[in-house]
Amino acid sequence: MATRLYLPAVLTAGAGIDLDAATAHRLRTVLRLAAGAVLAAFNERDGEWLCRINELGRSRGALIAERQTHPAAPEPDLWLLFAPIKRARLDWLVEKATELGVTELRPVWTARTQPERLNADRLRALAVAAAEQSERLSVPEIAEAASLDQVLTNWPPSRRLVVCDETGDGIPAVTALAGLSPGTPAALLVGPEGGFSETELDALGKLPIVTRIGLGPRILRAETAAIAAVAVFQAICGDWRRHRSR
């Protein structure tokens, strides 16, 4: 089914779902749909549902949920922490991380982070669009940007922090991640262009929840390192191990 919508509303058989003006405009003007057309609506709580357009006007619309097509399913509890980068590459990072199943995206200011303005609403919209296109049933949370010191001070002790270290001192990623138990809450931390400072690496290395990993013999751009790390995690201890056909 080509058209999918992320809708936080309750999805259950026979439920009516009101659409806001922006969604109604998209369906009517961009996708050229009309009353009677079918589409899929989904969220992380209720799964995916076949819905029929009941009403579609210039400024509003409504759907009727008919039947569930995919139930909600658990996902690996994986955060991605990244230093903000230039807008076009950040947009790509958010899109691909969503497609790969990251559950929370957390911008982190490091010593060498280049100042960049972040628009959380725009990043959220990018994540929603990527979830709709990838047949994912949830959308990652977009956390408020914070300094690395703040993040580490408030770090939950049960969550493993995997630091992508371009200095070559880290354990090979495949070896390190193979030691994580599937289902363990985890987070991947990727530094800025130019990498972490020595002070930051020293501080991270002293924390018992930290594992420093390497991502191969080549120097990767920040967004490439982030997506490579997520892919390796999902393949070894994430939901790529139990792929289900949709």
Side-chain angles (χ1 to χ4, degrees):
M1 188 173 300
T3 302
R4 298 179 78 242
L5 292 178
Y6 175 75
L7 296 175
V10 174
L11 302 174
T12 187
I17 304 137
D18 291 330
L19 303 176
D20 59 27
T23 304
H25 172 80
R26 175 185 166 200
L27 295 179
R28 180 174 177 271
T29 305
V30 179
L31 298 176
R32 304 290 185 181
L33 299 180
V38 295
L39 51 80
F42 69 96
N43 60 48
E44 57 279 350
R45 179 190 60 246
D46 302 317
E48 182 181 274
W49 285 73
L50 178 75
C51 298
R52 193 171 301 275
I53 298 176
N54 188 49
E55 176 187 351
L56 196 58
R58 290 181 178 277
S59 59
R60 67 180 303 273
L63 306 177
I64 299 293
E66 295 188 347
R67 61 181 175 85
Q68 190 182 58
T69 52
H70 296 287
E75 296 179 320
D77 185 1
L78 177 62
W79 296 357
L80 176 61
L81 286 68
F82 58 91
I85 52 180
K86 293 185 181 299
R87 176 171 171 170
R89 290 190 280 135
L90 177 58
D91 291 355
W92 185 88
L93 185 155
V94 169
E95 179 184 89
K96 302 311 172 189
T98 300
E99 292 176 13
L100 289 171
V102 168
T103 53
E104 185 165 325
L105 292 157
R106 298 173 65 92
V108 176
W109 301 108
T110 69
R112 294 174 179 163
T113 302
Q114 295 297 317
E116 292 287 342
R117 296 183 61 183
L118 296 177
N119 184 325
D121 290 339
R122 185 176 60 82
L123 297 182
R124 170 72 176 178
L126 288 167
V128 168
E132 291 174 343
Q133 293 171 10
S134 66
E135 297 195 5
R136 181 174 172 170
L137 296 177
S138 66
V139 174
E141 295 294 324
I142 308 293
E144 184 176 351
S147 70
L148 182 58
D149 287 343
Q150 290 173 316
V151 168
L152 296 178
T153 297
N154 298 304
W155 194 259
S158 62
R159 184 174 296 274
R160 194 71 192 173
L161 178 58
V162 179
V163 178
C164 301
D165 178 8
E166 79 287 349
T167 66
D169 293 335
I171 302 169
V174 172
T175 302
L177 293 176
L180 290 180
S181 299
T184 300
L188 302 169
L189 171 61
V190 178
E193 300 292 348
F196 296 105
S197 69
E198 288 298 325
T199 300
E200 289 169 335
L201 287 174
D202 288 343
L204 287 165
K206 294 175 183 177
L207 298 176
I209 48 87
V210 166
T211 299
R212 288 167 60 177
I213 67 170
L215 293 174
R218 288 166 288 278
I219 299 298
L220 306 179
R221 296 183 73 152
E223 70 274 20
T224 308
I227 299 310
V230 174
V232 173
F233 178 94
Q234 291 288 49
I236 294 174
C237 48
D239 58 9
W240 286 14
R241 297 175 303 107
R242 58 178 192 275
H243 170 70
R244 62 189 177 93
S245 176
R246 288 174 53 82

